[in-house]
Amino acid sequence: MNLISINPANNKKINSYQEISKDSINQIIDSSFNTFLEWRNKSFSYRAKKMRYLAELLKQKKEQLGLLMTKEMGKPIKQSIAEAEKCAWVCEYYADNAEKFLSQKEIPTGSTKSFISFQPIGIVLAIMPWNFPFWQVFRFASPALMAGNVGILKHASNVQGCAIEIEKLFLEAGFPKFAFNNLVIGSKKVSNVIKNSKISAVTLTGSTPAGKSVASLAGSLLKKTVLELGGNDPYVILEDADLDNAVKSCIAGRMLNAGQSCIAAKRFIVVQSSLKEFIDKVHNEIKKMKMGDPINPDINIGPMVNNIARDELHQQVIISIEKGAKLLFGGKIPQLDGAFYPPTLLVDVEPGMPAFDDELFGPVAVVISAKDQSHAIELANKTNFGLGAAIFTRDLDKGENIATKELEAGSCFVNDFVKSDPRLPFGGIKESGYGRELSEFGIQEFVNIKSVVIQ
């Protein structure tokens, strides 16, 4: 079977990649395990030197890597270049901080000596999506390898060019040949990889059904998992919000990567006193957005990943309108080559509509009316997901309290759109998954937290 890469801007084939055999998979896993036995004993300074060089390569090649991302999955070129730069940042962050995060911690117990030691666990299998084809990989790989683990990647089938290039970058930076490897396989072969006794843990970023499937299999084998799944992020706009800032943040959070992000701003929940002005401002901003060839630096909305995803999104919009939502802008498939869907604005959205209940993975802004602050928070939490959330208010104490105590999500931002940052833990609750990536907490997910007591 071949894995096909298609440019979503014109639906033309870029390349095809021959899926590797079961024997080849097992040989890579065996070699990775042997590499782990040596890599785990390398010093943090040794690993950090490689990781810093990797960061430099990412910065040096950012335009080339950005173009590859844009061609394979369609994001605007400026966003692709910024993604390469962010990958360099996470490499530098763990090169600088891994030793501190995993340093031995003395714990007084009355014994002669007692401490906590953090030891690598082996091969971490990463099952990664197409929407951030470099960032999703590096945010797992940087901490995993700095901790002394090795990584094996099963990337999305349509971004195998990115996956192969990432593997090359690790080799060029001086990492051992089997410290990081990409498996050119489709999803049907993943279960056998997870079942391999030399795989110690699995991290997955993707849909909730995919996460449940992987977690079920890995759990039956008692293998640790970290899952970052879907989201239906609410952005709550209170009556005292700075509406210009709220609109700017909401549009940025919704339209980045053509809305194809787990932490995109999926639902704008606005108290009634600010509703009309907010809708007018959002409408004006959406009308200014330019859709087209993502290689053009003036374009801010590229194609969706493929026609299937585009058509599924359109159906969600149509059904929401049939159930009473009002279409103010967009909502029509353009007569263009490629998987394009225009920036779209839906208002009068209520529970029971796909635009409220489901994750809309595309450039559709959804506005929901709330009677007051309490009702707005109730609507925000009325979802099975819990990845990100935002609150907009000029009262920072009130915003902090709502973000901390009332919104049900793994990340809550006040007066800004939700984004990942190497310095902060990232992950969700409810059907958005469990475990954390990034920060000190992320690097400690795939280590043996070992207690040592000397009497």
Side-chain angles (χ1 to χ4, degrees):
M1 177 179 138
N2 286 344
L3 308 182
I4 309 297
S5 176
I6 294 174
N7 186 335
N10 56 27
N11 287 331
K12 292 181 179 178
K13 177 179 171 181
I14 299 171
N15 210 338
S16 66
Y17 303 88
Q18 179 63 47
E19 192 175 27
I20 63 175
S21 67
K22 182 179 179 180
D23 286 344
S24 294
I25 293 169
N26 289 333
Q27 287 170 9
I28 290 172
I29 292 173
D30 288 345
S31 297
S32 295
F33 184 76
N34 291 333
T35 298
F36 162 68
L37 297 178
E38 297 180 8
W39 182 250
R40 66 180 177 178
N41 294 318
K42 300 296 184 183
S43 67
F44 281 105
S45 61
Y46 180 88
R47 297 177 203 147
K49 184 177 180 181
K50 309 290 186 188
M51 195 63 71
R52 289 192 183 96
Y53 186 30
L54 180 55
E56 286 303 312
L57 290 174
L58 284 161
K59 287 186 282 189
Q60 290 170 17
K61 299 185 178 188
K62 62 184 180 181
E63 285 86 4
Q64 165 191 334
L65 302 176
L67 184 60
L68 175 59
M69 286 183 245
T70 293
K71 286 183 175 180
E72 283 207 309
M73 54 70 57
K75 71 176 59 184
I77 188 66
K78 287 183 179 178
Q79 295 177 23
S80 295
I81 292 171
E83 183 171 331
E85 292 172 333
K86 192 171 184 179
C87 293
W89 180 20
V90 77
C91 290
E92 291 168 342
Y93 177 77
Y94 281 108
D96 293 342
N97 292 288
E99 185 170 11
K100 177 179 66 177
F101 292 156
L102 300 180
S103 62
Q104 187 170 296
K105 291 178 171 51
E106 303 288 333
I107 305 292
T109 62
S111 299
T112 301
K113 188 178 183 180
S114 49
F115 58 90
I116 299 169
S117 176
F118 301 93
Q119 300 297 317
I121 58 174
I123 303 174
V124 179
L125 170 66
I127 303 168
M128 293 290 117
W130 49 263
N131 57 339
F132 292 90
F134 271 64
W135 171 245
Q136 308 277 17
V137 175
F138 276 90
R139 77 182 190 192
F140 114 80
S142 300
L145 269 69
M146 279 304 303
N149 298 306
V150 296
I152 286 181
L153 171 65
K154 188 280 169 198
H155 216 328
S157 297
N158 61 315
V159 290
Q160 282 301 306
C162 291
I164 290 167
E165 190 60 35
I166 293 170
E167 182 181 289
K168 289 178 181 176
L169 284 167
F170 275 92
L171 285 172
E172 188 176 348
F175 286 85
K177 183 177 180 181
F178 290 99
F180 180 92
N181 280 92
N182 172 58
L183 298 181
V184 183
I185 59 172
S187 57
K188 291 182 179 179
K189 290 189 175 180
V190 171
S191 61
N192 283 334
V193 178
I194 295 172
K195 290 175 184 177
N196 189 295
S197 61
K198 291 185 172 70
I199 299 293
S200 297
V202 185
T203 180
L204 176 142
T205 298
S207 69
T208 297
K212 289 179 178 180
S213 176
V214 166
S216 177
L217 176 56
S220 71
L221 300 167
L222 296 178
K223 296 186 179 185
K224 175 73 180 287
T225 52
V226 168
L227 306 177
E228 192 264 281
L229 309 177
N232 197 2
D233 290 15
Y235 280 37
V236 176
I237 294 89
L238 301 182
E239 60 185 0
D240 67 341
D242 176 341
L243 286 187
D244 288 335
N245 175 63
V247 168
K248 179 182 176 182
S249 297
C250 286
I251 294 294
R254 173 70 275 194
M255 298 299 171
L256 181 74
N257 202 25
Q260 299 171 116
S261 170
C262 296
I263 52 167
K266 306 269 172 42
R267 296 177 295 145
F268 305 159
I269 302 170
V270 190
V271 295
Q272 287 177 349
S273 59
S274 300
L275 184 64
K276 184 181 184 306
E277 185 179 359
F278 179 84
I279 289 174
D280 288 344
K281 287 178 179 291
V282 168
H283 195 179
N284 288 335
E285 289 303 311
I286 284 181
K287 286 192 294 186
K288 297 176 187 176
M289 304 201 80
K290 297 179 181 179
M291 179 178 69
D293 184 353
I295 294 177
N296 183 341
D298 295 327
I299 292 298
N300 41 36
I301 296 289
M304 293 183 61
V305 66
N306 55 44
N307 288 349
I308 294 173
R310 188 265 314 277
D311 294 345
E312 287 177 352
L313 177 70
H314 188 53
Q315 278 301 113
Q316 290 174 306
V317 169
I318 289 173
I319 294 170
S320 296
I321 293 170
E322 289 173 348
K323 291 191 172 188
K326 183 178 179 182
L327 176 67
L328 288 191
F329 190 80
K332 294 179 174 62
I333 296 175
Q335 298 298 312
L336 295 171
D337 292 333
F340 289 95
Y341 198 78
T344 296
L345 176 58
L346 291 176
V347 301
D348 297 344
V349 173
E350 297 179 351
M353 302 176 183
F356 186 100
D357 297 339
D358 303 333
E359 180 178 28
L360 269 60
F361 216 65
V364 180
V366 171
V367 181
I368 299 154
S369 174
K371 291 177 288 188
D372 52 28
Q373 175 181 314
S374 177
H375 187 220
I377 294 168
E378 178 187 338
L379 289 169
N381 291 332
K382 193 178 181 65
T383 175
N384 292 328
F385 295 104
L387 192 57
I391 179 82
F392 293 86
T393 173
R394 284 188 169 91
D395 186 336
L396 297 186
D397 289 337
K398 177 169 65 176
E400 180 179 340
N401 184 68
I402 291 170
T404 304
K405 298 180 180 179
E406 298 189 60
L407 291 175
E408 298 170 357
S411 297
C412 294
F413 281 54
V414 180
N415 295 331
D416 197 4
F417 67 96
V418 180
K419 64 203 80 170
S420 58
D421 182 318
R423 299 164 294 189
L424 297 171
F426 183 80
I429 59 173
K430 299 192 279 189
E431 291 204 350
S432 290
Y434 54 72
R436 291 296 180 264
E437 296 179 287
L438 303 176
S439 79
E440 179 175 4
F441 298 95
I443 198 171
Q444 291 179 359
E445 287 283 4
F446 295 124
V447 294
N448 175 18
I449 304 174
K450 180 188 292 185
S451 297
V452 178
V453 180
I454 301 166
Q455 191 63 40

